[in-house]
Amino acid sequence: MSLSEFDRDTAVTPREPGVYDAELDRGWAIGDALNGGYLLATTARALGHAMPHPHPFTMSTHYLTATTAGRATVRTETVRAGRTLSTGAASLFQTEADGREVERLRVLATYGDLAALPEDVRTVAKPPEMPPYEHCLGTDQAPSGSAPAMADRLDMRLDPATVGWAVGEPSGKGEMRAWFGLADGRAPDPLSLLMTVDALPPTAFELGLDGWVPTVELTAHIRALPAPGPLRVALTTRNLAGGFLEEDAEVWDCADRLVAQSRQLARATRN
């Protein structure tokens, strides 16, 4: 059975204990830089090889410099291995043309076993209200040349109420919602959820900004193993100040369970 695009493009190869090689694919680019969620998932895959527990529970990532397609190295460290949770650290590096090795991002993560969690859920959180999949807008309906390379890897349908920016009429609400999956039909899992929280167009677009929105720091929480089927993703920003904004993400599976959450701090730029 052939690998999905996501599994192929996040694959890592052990070089020595704690060191993994990766070939980062340009198909996950936003402009010239690779998507932060894709890089997080690749780093998490390497870290998962080194950890005694199978699933990422929480990952806090600082993005130091922009990452481009090509070879990369992930170096991992097991900080603590407990009975139910383990903590590790990882960094992703690339080598510049002059031979210098540059750290692109650094992660601190806790891993556990999502399948072993109790089923008790007490929550006031609710799935986002949005139109059915067939009434939402796909990236194939975007103006020619406007969708990033990464869009070809995704099956994403945006809530029409959050795409005013695409026609020059941003709502000013700082919201983005979409049905979400991978274009090749791969079912969601904890690693793909790490990419999902950072895959939608930025809420800055609906705030009237049209420049690159690079992530400074992103913390993702994986809350449950997702059921197979389409996801619903909701992003919100409540405060843009000093040229920076926060973006909160919720990811719901087709069984109406909140399976992932994240918050990131991003820099708002203008073209």
Side-chain angles (χ1 to χ4, degrees), residues 29-109:
I30 308 292
D32 294 328
L34 295 179
N35 170 259
Y38 164 64
L39 298 174
L40 178 55
T42 304
T43 306
R45 189 181 292 281
L47 191 55
H49 283 290
M51 302 291 275
H53 294 94
H55 304 128
F57 273 33
T58 177
M59 301 193 75
S60 295
T61 306
H62 287 263
Y63 294 87
L64 308 178
T65 56
T67 305
T68 56
R71 294 181 179 178
T73 300
V74 181
R75 293 191 171 90
T76 68
E77 175 191 2
T78 300
V79 178
R80 178 185 181 275
R83 185 174 61 84
T84 59
L85 295 174
S86 53
T87 300
S91 293
L92 185 146
F93 297 85
Q94 287 187 309
T95 301
E96 299 281 20
D98 60 5
R100 291 181 303 114
E101 189 175 63
V102 177
E103 186 176 9
R104 301 301 195 195
L105 61 85
R106 185 175 297 189
V107 173
L108 186 64

Side-chain angles (χ1 to χ4, degrees), residues 2-271:
S2 61
L3 287 177
S4 74
E5 291 177 324
F6 177 80
D7 292 321
R8 179 198 68 202
D9 296 341
T10 59
V12 296
T13 303
R15 184 199 307 175
E16 58 187 73
V19 181
Y20 302 86
D21 294 319
E23 187 68 31
L24 302 176
D25 192 276
R26 68 180 67 255
W28 300 91
I30 308 292
D32 294 328
L34 295 179
N35 170 259
Y38 164 64
L39 298 174
L40 178 55
T42 304
T43 306
R45 189 181 292 281
L47 191 55
H49 283 290
M51 302 291 275
H53 294 94
H55 304 128
F57 273 33
T58 177
M59 301 193 75
S60 295
T61 306
H62 287 263
Y63 294 87
L64 308 178
T65 56
T67 305
T68 56
R71 294 181 179 178
T73 300
V74 181
R75 293 191 171 90
T76 68
E77 175 191 2
T78 300
V79 178
R80 178 185 181 275
R83 185 174 61 84
T84 59
L85 295 174
S86 53
T87 300
S91 293
L92 185 146
F93 297 85
Q94 287 187 309
T95 301
E96 299 281 20
D98 60 5
R100 291 181 303 114
E101 189 175 63
V102 177
E103 186 176 9
R104 301 301 195 195
L105 61 85
R106 185 175 297 189
V107 173
L108 186 64
T110 295
Y111 276 60
D113 186 353
L114 290 167
L117 295 180
E119 296 183 1
D120 181 41
V121 176
R122 308 179 194 190
T123 182
V124 296
K126 296 180 180 180
E129 294 184 3
M130 51 192 292
Y133 174 92
E134 59 272 16
H135 293 162
C136 290
L137 303 176
T139 53
D140 57 334
Q141 297 169 278
S144 177
S146 64
M150 184 176 171
D152 291 338
R153 299 285 193 272
L154 309 176
D155 178 12
M156 181 167 59
R157 295 278 180 155
L158 294 165
D159 183 341
T162 67
V163 295
W165 54 274
V167 293
E169 299 178 0
S171 68
K173 293 181 179 180
E175 298 176 352
M176 199 70 63
R177 292 181 295 274
W179 293 93
F180 189 88
L182 290 167
D184 62 9
R186 180 194 186 276
D189 70 356
L191 282 183
S192 71
L193 291 176
L194 293 170
M195 178 273 298
T196 300
V197 298
D198 192 43
L200 269 61
T203 53
F205 289 180
E206 275 296 86
L207 291 172
L209 303 179
D210 59 1
W212 186 38
V213 189
T215 303
V216 177
E217 187 273 344
L218 185 152
T219 295
H221 297 163
I222 307 303
R223 305 301 304 273
L225 293 171
L231 302 166
R232 282 161 293 171
V233 186
L235 307 182
T236 58
T237 292
R238 296 191 303 165
N239 191 54
L240 189 162
F244 292 84
L245 57 88
E246 90 289 344
E247 190 172 86
D248 294 318
E250 290 186 353
V251 182
W252 295 78
D253 71 3
C254 60
D256 285 346
R257 297 180 307 153
L258 181 61
V259 293
Q261 298 166 280
S262 73
R263 166 167 283 196
Q264 66 173 279
L265 180 70
R267 189 170 74 238
T269 63
R270 294 180 181 273
N271 284 332

